[in-house]
Every structure is written in structure tokens, then in C-alpha cells.
């Protein structure tokens, strides 16, 4: 697995960044495409639903994991 890389997102008009490994970023992009959403829109949904104690990057990783587990 690759090392995390910082990537920029825009959530509800505000710029932010998350550090994700390439594998998670690619899976996240594939999910967004499958659901007909932009990466920013999907990240904003995850951000709105996450527990405030958790970071956005961790919430995205957990979302990706849950999404793929639901398809098994």
C-alpha cells in the first residue's frame, strides 16, 4: 500500500485537504463515479454524517471499506 498523499477537496464551498493512500483515493473515485457523484459531493456527504471526533480521511476510508463489504 502506498503512503498517504495530501489531496484537496472542496466541501460546501470551503477548501480542505485529506491524506489518503492512492488505493483508497482510487476506490473512493470509483465509488463516486458508480454513484453518479463528484468526489467533492461524496466527501461532503461523508463529512456531514461523520462523528466529529473522527477525521475526514478516516471517515472516507471507513466509507470505502463499508461500501465494498456491502457488495460481497
Amino acid at each position: 500500500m502506498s503512503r498517504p498523499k495530501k489531496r484537496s477537496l472542496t466541501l460546501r464551498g470551503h477548501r480542505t485537504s485529506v491524506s489518503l493512500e492512492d488505493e483508497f483515493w482510487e476506490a473512493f473515485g470509483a465509488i463516486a463515479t458508480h454513484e453518479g457523484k463528484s468526489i467533492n459531493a461524496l466527501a461532503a456527504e461523508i463529512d456531514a454524517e461523520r462523528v466529529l471526533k473522527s477525521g475526514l480521511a478516516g471517515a472516507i476510508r471507513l466509507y470505502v471499506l463499508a461500501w465494498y463489504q456491502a457488495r460481497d
Side-chain angles (χ1 to χ4, degrees), residues 9-18 28 39-60 63:
L9 294 170
T10 302
L11 305 179
R12 294 174 300 281
H14 299 285
R15 298 287 291 171
T16 190
S17 61
V18 295
F28 185 52
I39 287 175
N40 288 327
L42 185 54
E45 288 178 19
I46 293 168
D47 185 50
E49 295 176 10
R50 72 185 167 105
V51 177
L52 293 179
K53 294 178 191 174
S54 70
L56 180 56
I60 290 172
Y63 181 89

Side-chain angles (χ1 to χ4, degrees), residues 1-3 5-7 10 13 20 24 29-30 34 41 47-48 52-54 63 67-68 70:
M1 188 166 285
S2 65
R3 299 187 78 169
K5 291 182 190 171
K6 195 171 274 198
R7 293 171 169 88
T10 302
L20 289 174
F24 276 104
H34 184 269
D47 185 50
L52 293 179
K53 294 178 191 174
S54 70
Y63 181 89
W67 195 89
Y68 280 101

